[in-house]
Amino acid sequence: MTNLKVPYIFLIPSLIIIFLAGVGPVFQSFLLSLSEFSLVNPSQTPVGFQNYIALLSDSIFWKAIQVTMLLVFGSVLLEFVVGIFLALLITSSGKRARSVFSSIFVIPIAVAPIVTGILWSPNSVFDDLNTLLYYGLSLGTYIDTTKPFTYYSLIIISDAWIWAPLMMLVTVAIIRSIPKEQYEAAEVMGASSWTKFQKITFPAIIVSPAILVTLLLRTADAFRMFEVPYAWNFWLGQDAELGASVDTVSVLMWKMFSSTLYDFPIAQITTIAIVLLMVTLTTCALVLRRSPRLME
Amino acid sequence: MQVTLKKVSKRFPNAEVDAVNQVDLEIVNKEFLVILGPSGSGKSSLLRLIAGLEEVSGGEVYFGNELMNDVSPRERDISMVFQNFALFPNMTVYDNIAFPIRASGKDSENLDSEVKRIASMLQIEGLLDRKPGALSGGEQQRVSLGRAIIKKPKVFLMDEPLSNLDASLRSELRAEIKKLHKELGITFIYVTHDQTEAMTMADRIALIKDGKLLQVDKPEVIYDNPNHSWIGSFLGMPAMNLISSSDLSGSIPSKKGASVIGIRPENLNISTEKSKLTGSVISTEYLGDSKIINVQVGNSIIKAKVSNDSTFSVGADVNLDFSDDDLRFFTDDGKNLG
Amino acid sequence: MSQNKQKNNSRYIRYILLLSASLWVLWPISIMVEEGFRVDIGPLFSGRGASFVGEFFQGQGGIRFSTIEYVKALRIEAYPRLLVNSVIIAVSSVIVAVLAGLPAAFTMAMYKFRGKAFLTYALLAMRTISPFAVLLPFFLIYGRLGLFDTYQGMAFVYLIINLPIITLMMRGFFKDIPKEIFEAAFMSGASDSYILRKVALPLALPGLAAAAVFAFVGTWNEFFYALFLTGTVTKTVSRGVWSGFSESIESFKILEFDELNAGGTLAIIPAVILSLAVQRYLARGITLGAHEQ
């Protein structure tokens, strides 16, 4: 449609909200990060970028970054793989199976992340599994949930558990849009199922802009992972310890805020937040660059 | 309402060529003008520029004496009918037709009688309670027409309105649209790629190809005396024969500068004596009311439309005769030499 | 192997896989439901009345079926109270998001204008932003304005999530409507507001329902903002799961495991039911209309 008479007035309420709830507070956070504000010392005088510089040499911060990156990578990868797997199952099933099972598979998305922290807690799942392994099967071993490998895995599994269905839905849509003739031609040429997947299905998924956008959005989201590591802090009894092994960046910030050891160092917290924000904004810009249709 | 286009051009973003290229066109008040062209010729774009749904990249659009370039479609006092009807699926036929009046806030007591009057004019009064989903293609298009005429526009635009309908429906609706034109007495601008629609309905045809207007004239004139050899091959079934003049022996009168000679198949007839063209019959096609014979003359294949009882046999030679008046002469780049 | 046998084999394999996948989804939830009933099926496996966590024995265990945790949770001042809170906050926030977002979505779907890219970017960024980037200013300002622990305050904060969801999703749904329908409405002389109300909205109504549910569930499940900006009055269900439904004091007390599980079960019920109702639209919702279904 032409540029004539765009009803700009329709945009005003949203713009107001964006500024009041988004741009404004972010800007104020930025200002705070340039100061030494804390609830004990509420001065907002800017002191330059010293917080940022201090952050760069802070080992606890880097540890949190490492933990976060590990969890992000593992989680996004796992949910991608599981999502594709579920999608393949769904698309190769008959109509009734499809509607029944896709309803089931979709449930995790509705489950609150904080509840997921309970679902995969040491008590729940491993109570039975460990008992089975140790006693039932008399294997004499059990899964030690205090080992890093275990709990990192569990956190990754938790997050992937929630979001794999999303990957499944997107992948299903992609698979549905592949012309059937490609598979028929492959069948005639005697291709096995694995070959069909390798040569037709998987390439189609990889190049799809939808999957790329979803992966980028999920990565941006995963960076602020909070609820599940938060829960694990309590399972592992580390909630009072700053820089604990399950602290993602968000959890770190929470600890700084709520711990009684520190005097609410708001300036430092906002510094970290702004850094995290930069990551998010860059990821979003990447999303938009790759998916120009979003801009239309 | 007279519609005038002066050097109107349109280039879409990221396009390498103009969709509409320097079009000059004067549409006379109350005429039925058909914009005819193959797919991709820019005819729909041209219509949308007249409607205001697209902004011109260059040139001016006038309604009467008023410049319309910056006027939004709502305010141009026009109506448009679309190829896929564009009815509102959530509303009944009644509400669809009444929409333009209600939308402009001019709801009045007359509205009800007006809607019913239009419905009966288009023979759809029995369908007023139905939703578009329950209607056939032809019925939907009538509703679309009804919605378009209720607000009494000054110009009536139609974008390939019959293309989505069956052939039999098409001829029925062609007649109805013509009738509508006569009853309403307003300017109709009709876009199509179908030459039958153009030839049967138009007061004048505007032929467009690759964004440029090739010829604007009455159907008979364009058919008989096309500006351009391409038009000759576009109009007519079968198309005009286009033969390079070097290919024919000197028995055919030629004009200086003409490299292509055109003659329509229906203007060729079989003669018993030796005449201007001789060739051997390669194949024949039976049309029902006539036959087409493909005759090899020199290096060219010439089509002739002959009556069913003509004498010829496939593989044998045949003589073709014609009147010199029926010859058309074209230059290298297709221009008619008159 | 004959064709039929092959087909049957692959069918069996597929069903096994489907069931395993369902197990992967439902098993953890069923454990949570069970534990809420103080049912611990570990002992079934060991034949002893003990259960095992890490290296530590836990004296509890065994099937002591009891609905007491659920009963405790369902007392009026516990779950139901928080339920009401969550509903009030989520519904009011979504309503505001719809009122502001629908016109914006319509404009973005129908028109080209300068700054559209910025708007899309801003909405996208808002949705993925880390709460901490805005939390502290909100914390400080709400403190000053007395909006701490209020319904209005929470509803407003949740606009950060809801506005992008509603706007970007609805933009996608509006774009699904064939362009000619809008052009026809336009040519008929209708104003934008009239078209939005009488043409666009009726046709995109299922999409709106999905978007609203989606925003509702997102708000319902949200923990972070609730943790910081609610107090005793507006405590939401998700915060209540963790710190106890009926705890009136801000505390991080770790509850009895069974209590936790009962709470978790009750917390997810509304969200799961609503999501199942609109699951067809879920993919579009989460990618904010970035892909066509």
Side-chain angles (χ1 to χ4, degrees), chain C residues 162-176:
Chain C
N162 293 337
L163 185 66
I165 291 180
I166 301 274
T167 311
L168 292 175
M169 265 182 91
M170 288 315 294
R171 186 190 65 166
F173 287 120
F174 282 146
K175 277 181 124 193
D176 274 350

Side-chain angles (χ1 to χ4, degrees), chain A residues 252-267:
Chain A
L252 175 65
M253 288 193 277
W254 166 73
K255 279 195 181 162
M256 288 170 69
F257 187 75
S258 53
S259 162
T260 48
L261 295 174
Y262 302 87
D263 305 317
F264 301 100
I266 292 187

Side-chain angles (χ1 to χ4, degrees), chain B residues 145-285:
Chain B
L145 287 167
R147 179 179 66 183
I149 62 183
I150 195 169
K151 62 174 207 154
K152 301 196 178 21
K154 297 251 178 39
V155 183
F156 203 93
L157 305 175
M158 311 180 91
D159 193 353
E160 307 209 49
L162 305 181
S163 302
N164 281 5
L165 303 175
D166 295 333
S168 53
L169 262 179
R170 259 188 252 167
S171 57
E172 201 187 305
L173 275 173
R174 274 203 315 258
E176 290 208 24
I177 292 177
K178 260 313 245 191
K179 198 175 80 164
L180 205 58
H181 174 238
K182 205 150 159 231
E183 282 181 25
L184 294 178
I186 57 178
T187 315
F188 270 44
I189 307 179
Y190 187 104
V191 163
T192 183
H193 64 271
D194 183 315
Q195 44 172 303
T196 317
E197 283 172 27
M199 300 287 282
T200 53
M201 298 205 281
D203 290 339
R204 279 195 306 161
I205 299 181
L207 255 172
I208 186 170
K209 178 176 184 273
D210 296 330
K212 289 208 173 83
L213 272 190
L214 293 179
Q215 193 168 1
V216 183
D217 215 324
K218 298 207 199 101
E220 314 87 75
V221 175
I222 296 189
Y223 187 80
D224 224 22
N225 214 355
N227 269 356
H228 196 287
S229 57
W230 177 85
I231 302 181
S233 61
F234 182 69
L235 287 178
M237 283 185 290
M240 179 185 273
N241 287 303
L242 295 172
I243 319 151
S244 73
S245 55
S246 57
D247 213 29
L248 300 168
S249 49
S251 56
I252 309 231
S254 183
K255 271 214 175 120
K256 191 166 170 205
S259 55
V260 173
I261 300 182
I263 183 156
R264 290 215 174 265
E266 59 266 25
N267 293 334
L268 291 165
N269 35 283
I270 299 181
S271 84
T272 41
E273 315 129 10
K274 184 127 176 39
S275 56
K276 298 169 187 171
L277 285 177
T278 311
S280 71
V281 179
I282 302 184
S283 58
T284 163
E285 297 160 60

Side-chain angles (χ1 to χ4, degrees), chain B residues 48 74 80 82 90 147 151, chain C residues 183-184 186-187 190 198 202:
Chain B
R48 290 168 66 85
R74 300 193 174 105
M80 188 150 162
F82 296 85
N90 52 310
R147 179 179 66 183
K151 62 174 207 154
Chain C
E183 290 178 342
F186 214 57
M187 307 274 299
K198 299 280 182 169

Side-chain angles (χ1 to χ4, degrees), chain A residues 218-233:
Chain A
R218 276 299 315 144
T219 309
D221 270 351
F223 257 100
R224 52 185 176 108
M225 203 189 293
F226 179 72
E227 283 95 339
V228 178
Y230 172 86
W232 273 89
N233 253 281

Side-chain angles (χ1 to χ4, degrees), chain A residues 114-141:
Chain A
I114 190 65
V115 173
T116 321
I118 304 175
L119 290 179
W120 295 85
S121 62
N123 284 13
S124 304
V125 183
F126 288 89
D127 235 358
D128 308 313
L129 207 51
N130 276 343
T131 320
L132 175 67
L133 287 176
Y134 200 85
Y135 293 110
L137 301 178
S138 300
L139 287 180
T141 58

